[in-house]
Amino acid sequence: MYDGQEFLRDKRWCLSRRALLAGAGAVGAAGLLSACGGGDSSAGPAAAAPGTVLAQTGDVPVGGGTVVDGVLIVQPEGGTFRAYDATCPHQGVRVGAPRDGVITCPAHNSTFAVADGARLGGPAPKGLTEIPITVDGTTITRA
């Protein structure tokens, strides 16, 4: 008879992805597999290419932000704009627009600072990746 620790160390009870997919069906198993991921499954750099117009300054509220083409554009204080890859570095889930100066990943509640994208808490191993932008008049463009 196994004790709890021996059971966890013994991998014989683990299902392969193929067995899980065959038994549960692709749709039901996909959620289970993504929830059990053990590494960084981020999709990489944000989708918007350099030179892409991302937003107008009026689209980004002071203290808040908006997600456009995989880029989170924020305005931490009036007239200051920054952009980050909207992909959480923990498991690649897209973060949402900030609330009360904090960017939150909806999957596991990793939190990041609006001002610099730094990790504040949660399982994310690092902060958000900054995306270079330019502001020309009222137009925000990926640099």
Side-chain angles (χ1 to χ4, degrees):
M1 181 123 203
Y2 287 133
D3 69 14
Q5 293 301 314
E6 276 185 278
F7 181 76
L8 292 174
R9 285 190 301 267
D10 185 352
K11 301 297 183 192
R12 289 181 294 175
W13 59 271
C14 292
L15 289 174
S16 70
R17 288 177 188 249
R18 181 173 290 155
L20 182 60
L21 287 170
V27 174
L32 291 171
L33 291 174
S34 65
C36 296
D40 181 8
S41 61
S42 66
T52 302
V53 173
L54 297 171
Q56 299 298 309
T57 57
D59 297 335
V60 185
V62 175
T66 186
V67 178
V68 179
D69 290 337
V71 178
L72 171 62
I73 308 159
V74 298
Q75 187 176 185
E77 54 189 47
T80 301
F81 296 89
R82 300 193 72 144
Y84 309 104
D85 185 333
T87 305
C88 179
H90 176 231
Q91 288 192 337
V93 174
R94 182 165 287 180
V95 300
R99 291 192 181 154
D100 300 321
V102 177
I103 302 162
T104 303
C105 176
H108 300 104
N109 292 318
S110 288
T111 53
F112 309 92
V114 171
D116 61 3
R119 179 190 170 277
L120 298 174
K126 62 181 183 171
L128 297 175
T129 301
E130 188 162 5
I131 300 292
I133 57 171
T134 58
V135 179
D136 184 15
T138 61
T139 302
I140 302 169
T141 305
R142 179 157 180 192

